[in-house]
Amino acid sequence: MASCHFKLCFILCFLHISLSFSEILFLPLTHTLSNNHFTSTHHLLKSTSTRSAARFQHHHNSRLQNHQHRQVSLPLSPGSDYTLSFTLNSQPPQHVSLYLDTGSDLVWFPCQPFECILCEGKAENATVSSPPPKLSSVAKPVHCKSPACSAVHSNLPVSDLCAIANCPLEAIEISDCRSFSCPPFYYAYGDGSLIARLHRDSITLPLANPSLVLHNFTFGCAHTALAEPVGVAGFGPGLLSLPAQLASVSPQLGNQFSYCLVSHSFDSDRVRLPSPLILGRSDERRRVDNDDQVKFVYTSMLNNPKHPYFYCVGLEGISVGRKNIPAPAFLKKVNREGNGGLVVDSGTTFTMLPASLYNSVVAEFDNRVRALNGRAKEIEGTTGLRPCYYFDNVVNVPSLVLHFVGNKSSVTLPRKNYFYDFLDGGDGVKRKRRVGCLMLMNGGDEAELSGGPGATLGNYQQQGFEVVYDLEKRRVGFARRKCASLWESLNQG
């Protein structure tokens, strides 16, 4: 642990923060869903469910990669993602929008000149219209001896990195490779990949007054990508994540963050205010929003030795109505091989469950709903969700409660977070009928989930909650909030 702290200090010892007014900062998250990208509700749901499954499956494929090529989880396509923005302090300053991702630990974005293969239409649909930024003349490449270089190359030894960077042997022998840049690194994900280099420059986070300036901020600059034109702000555990870089100079800002996702039901018109991203301690924040009635339910983070960039927690079970369904044992802990646990993920839309738990939940749900409503099998095929039902009147949907490991660590989901209803038909071919679908997904059998997490809590199920990541006490908390009202109260405060 001491060596880890030393590395963090060494990486970021020149990172400075221009801040004097508060121990808490809040930034706007923009919902990136574009209704114009989808031809129908079925198409939207099918695209999103496919994307959720691909991202979850990718969590378990990294063991197949060469140890020099580190896989991370990145957004695959426009669906239900959230972006934050900052300004690169070049001349003139350049605006950069990035996906918020708690499932990776690096900040990276496209840089000019930039080539993106199979990216047609993706940038527009992700609401990113500005061209990729051009690095300023003062941006500095990270040298191959830096711990930052080792971190981004899956902790390769310095001697190996210096050799890859074509350092001469005599320089490697005396550990003097500071004049050689860190070699390019390769990231792969569900349906694409990128190659980037590490740089340091100043960035400004969008605050009213005064602004927050991070000098010598470390980020990846990508000149080539496959199917991914938008960068990522990694918020996962790791030396190069945005919270880690904040924590090195301001523990009050970097040791805790939270977000509150405004409920959207896949309707972009419903999202009139941004979702707040809050950097800083909750006790300080309460003095800002004057809400002392907020009660968080906490569960401890689990250590994952193989996937340290995930926020893993334990899941005890799920209640459907009054029926409590215990989770399989591997969801309650993470073993030495990195198997098990549930990942709290801002970058996956729908919650993914192992087949045994998913089938039990679906069976109990179906027993309670099907008696009064017919199954919509064809809708299940066109959306990727199941079970789905036709109903003419208000459907009686049982409650759904997540039971996390820990005393009194249960979270009751609002109906709209797990049951989505919409109108089907009315096109002159089919009569108009109301349809509702359960928005949990089958992640596969336990044998298929080896080498990664057993389940993922998606961002759709997190809507309407403030989700806090307490990195100092190593716990994740949930509290029901009116996220749009929280944004307004933070601004007023």
Side-chain angles (χ1 to χ4, degrees):
M1 181 64 69
S3 63
C4 188
H5 288 164
F6 172 78
K7 285 184 178 180
L8 182 59
C9 178
F10 186 82
I11 293 173
L12 303 165
C13 60
F14 296 108
L15 180 67
H16 302 289
I17 187 169
S18 300
L19 184 68
S20 61
F21 72 102
S22 177
E23 294 181 349
I24 175 171
L25 303 172
F26 54 95
L27 310 175
L29 294 178
T30 302
H31 185 233
T32 63
L33 177 66
S34 172
N35 288 341
N36 295 330
H37 180 58
F38 303 101
T39 58
S40 66
T41 301
H42 305 76
H43 180 204
L44 183 154
L45 293 174
K46 184 68 172 181
S47 174
T48 306
S49 61
T50 300
R51 174 191 180 280
S52 297
R55 179 177 167 96
F56 182 68
Q57 291 166 4
H58 171 72
H59 287 338
H60 306 87
N61 294 333
S62 58
R63 67 188 187 280
L64 302 177
Q65 297 296 306
N66 184 287
H67 72 282
Q68 296 185 21
H69 298 321
R70 179 183 186 186
Q71 281 199 329
V72 296
S73 301
L74 302 176
L76 307 180
S77 64
S80 185
D81 304 304
Y82 297 84
T83 59
L84 60 88
S85 300
F86 66 80
T87 300
L88 190 63
N89 289 356
S90 55
Q91 292 299 328
Q94 299 171 91
H95 177 79
V96 180
S97 292
L98 307 177
Y99 287 120
L100 170 71
D101 187 14
T102 59
S104 62
D105 57 359
L106 175 72
V107 179
W108 74 269
F109 51 85
C111 297
Q112 293 187 25
F114 179 65
E115 179 185 12
C116 193
I117 305 167
L118 300 179
C119 285
E120 292 77 8
K122 279 196 170 186
E124 293 80 2
N125 292 319
T127 68
V128 178
S129 57
S130 58
K134 183 178 182 180
L135 290 184
S136 69
S137 58
V138 297
K140 300 176 181 178
V142 173
H143 60 77
C144 61
K145 189 183 174 184
S146 167
C149 184
S150 180
V152 82
H153 282 277
S154 299
N155 296 309
L156 281 179
V158 171
S159 57
D160 289 5
L161 292 169
C162 291
I164 297 172
N166 293 320
C167 251
L169 180 60
E170 57 271 21
I172 298 175
E173 291 294 338
I174 61 175
S175 298
D176 184 21
C177 289
R178 296 182 182 274
S179 60
F180 288 80
S181 298
C182 181
F185 58 89
Y186 167 75
Y187 270 28
Y189 50 99
D191 67 350
S193 57
L194 63 103
I195 295 177
R197 285 183 177 271
L198 280 185
H199 284 79
R200 290 195 179 107
D201 201 352
S202 297
I203 67 169
T204 301
L205 296 178
L207 304 171
N209 185 33
S211 60
L212 173 62
V213 181
L214 301 177
H215 299 287
N216 282 311
F217 186 82
T218 303
F219 57 87
C221 172
H223 294 291
T224 308
L226 173 67
E228 185 49 76
V230 183
V232 171
F235 269 67
L239 297 179
L240 298 177
S241 71
L242 197 149
Q245 299 203 49
L246 275 175
S248 67
V249 291
S250 177
Q252 294 86 352
L253 289 177
N255 283 345
Q256 181 170 295
F257 69 90
S258 66
Y259 50 73
C260 196
L261 306 180
V262 175
S263 298
H264 58 77
S265 297
F266 292 111
D267 184 355
S268 57
D269 293 336
R270 294 191 181 188
V271 186
R272 295 182 175 85
L273 290 174
S275 299
L277 168 66
I278 304 165
L279 306 174
R281 300 183 185 278
S282 59
D283 53 353
E284 176 72 19
R285 209 273 317 297
R286 284 199 181 95
R287 292 197 287 270
V288 177
D289 66 16
N290 297 316
D291 190 350
D292 294 323
Q293 303 304 313
V294 177
K295 301 298 182 183
F296 280 93
V297 171
Y298 288 99
T299 183
S300 297
M301 294 180 186
L302 303 177
N303 180 49
N304 192 321
K306 296 295 184 180
H307 306 283
Y309 39 86
F310 289 149
Y311 292 112
C312 291
V313 299
L315 185 68
E316 289 277 6
I318 297 177
S319 289
V320 179
R322 295 183 179 180
K323 174 76 170 181
N324 182 28
I325 303 171
F330 72 96
L331 287 188
K332 303 175 185 179
K333 59 184 179 180
V334 177
N335 64 19
R336 294 180 180 179
E337 287 71 43
N339 303 333
L342 175 145
V343 173
V344 184
D345 188 8
S346 68
T348 298
T349 305
F350 296 143
T351 291
M352 308 293 299
L353 300 175
S356 58
L357 179 58
Y358 171 81
N359 289 334
S360 297
V361 169
V362 166
E364 182 63 26
F365 190 91
D366 192 45
N367 286 339
R368 292 173 176 268
V369 177
R370 184 174 51 177
L372 299 176
N373 306 276
R375 282 285 288 269
K377 292 286 188 178
E378 65 274 24
I379 302 298
E380 296 174 6
T382 57
T383 63
L385 300 173
R386 77 172 185 90
C388 295
Y389 307 91
Y390 289 118
F391 59 94
D392 298 318
N393 300 311
V394 177
V395 63
N396 185 20
V397 177
S399 61
L400 196 145
V401 182
L402 305 178
H403 303 287
F404 297 103
V405 171
N407 186 30
K408 297 181 180 180
S409 297
S410 296
V411 175
T412 301
L413 296 181
R415 166 178 156 155
K416 61 185 177 182
N417 282 33
Y418 62 93
F419 190 77
Y420 182 66
D421 63 89
F422 59 97
L423 285 175
D424 176 60
D427 55 2
V429 178
K430 296 169 58 180
R431 71 183 181 91
K432 186 180 295 185
R433 300 189 68 181
R434 195 133 206 103
V435 180
C437 298
L438 181 66
M439 303 178 75
L440 305 177
M441 294 189 65
N442 187 344
D445 296 330
E446 182 175 349
E448 299 172 340
L449 301 179
S450 62
T456 294
L457 180 63
N459 64 44
Y460 199 92
Q461 281 66 51
Q462 297 176 45
Q463 289 181 98
F465 287 88
E466 183 178 354
V467 183
V468 60
Y469 298 76
D470 188 337
L471 308 184
E472 186 175 25
K473 296 182 179 179
R474 292 192 52 76
R475 60 184 185 171
V476 179
F478 304 87
R480 283 292 302 273
R481 302 297 298 266
K482 295 181 179 179
C483 298
S485 299
L486 175 59
W487 173 259
E488 291 183 320
S489 65
L490 285 168
N491 275 278
Q492 293 170 358

